[in-house]
Amino acid sequence: MITFGKMEPEINYTWRPGVYGIILKENENLVALIETDDGRYFLPGGGMEGSESHVECLVREGIEEMGKLLEIGEWIVKAQRYFYSEKDGTYYLVEGHFYFARIAGNTGEPLEADHNLKWIEAGEAVKRLFHEHQSWAVQKALTMMENNG
């Protein structure tokens, strides 16, 4: 598995598995991203809670971040990233599981008011994503689409 970021010596990292959906508008070459109020961009998804399955996690995150019901599709890739979260004051080793996903319906307004769904051109999305492992996963997804196209 590929790992991004640098492990700092003598730092205790909190392992945080997460699930992320790569949602493409294929004919328009657009990727769904979540923009937070601080101007950062992330893939829809997030950390797993308790004994959640990958499907349960992505469905919950879709409701929270987008107000959308997500359907999980084909698995794409897994990657890790070391980083420090200023928001949490915690050092994390995030393990991302990335899947193709699609929006299957609306559930109402997003539960997280500071999260906004944006459709961004694929190349630009890769550049804007805050986490390197998410950018890499989008590139892998686009390559898979090209190879299957």
Side-chain angles (χ1 to χ4, degrees):
M1 173 174 27
I2 190 166
T3 301
F4 294 88
K6 183 181 175 201
M7 183 178 88
E8 299 292 336
E10 300 181 22
I11 297 289
N12 291 322
Y13 287 87
T14 299
W15 184 65
R16 185 79 169 126
V19 182
Y20 303 90
I22 297 178
I23 305 168
L24 305 171
K25 275 192 185 176
E26 298 170 37
N27 297 335
E28 300 176 47
N29 196 36
L30 300 174
V31 179
L33 298 185
I34 302 301
E35 181 183 18
T36 56
D37 283 351
D38 61 6
R40 295 187 297 175
Y41 289 85
F42 303 90
L43 286 172
M48 297 173 70
E49 295 181 359
S51 61
E52 277 183 327
S53 69
H54 288 189
V55 171
E56 291 167 335
C57 177
L58 193 57
V59 167
R60 177 183 51 76
E61 290 285 350
I63 293 167
E64 290 176 0
E65 296 179 344
M66 305 166 64
K68 306 287 185 196
L69 180 61
L70 298 182
E71 285 184 356
I72 196 167
E74 181 182 1
W75 181 81
I76 301 167
V77 73
K78 177 169 72 169
Q80 298 182 130
R81 178 170 188 238
Y82 288 101
F83 82 102
Y84 176 74
S85 170
E86 292 180 10
K87 176 182 168 189
D88 298 342
T90 303
Y91 288 89
Y92 286 107
L93 173 57
V94 188
E95 181 178 281
H97 300 265
F98 299 93
Y99 292 85
F100 285 108
R102 72 176 203 85
I103 297 172
N106 293 316
T107 62
E109 290 298 313
L111 301 179
E112 296 175 347
D114 65 334
H115 288 61
N116 302 291
L117 172 62
K118 302 287 183 179
W119 291 96
I120 308 290
E121 185 275 324
E124 187 63 28
V126 167
K127 294 178 193 171
R128 288 191 189 184
L129 281 161
F130 178 74
H131 290 296
E132 298 163 285
H133 69 311
Q134 292 187 6
S135 294
W136 179 77
V138 170
Q139 290 172 319
K140 290 291 186 187
L142 294 171
T143 299
M144 285 174 72
M145 294 296 292
E146 289 171 10
N147 293 339
N148 294 336

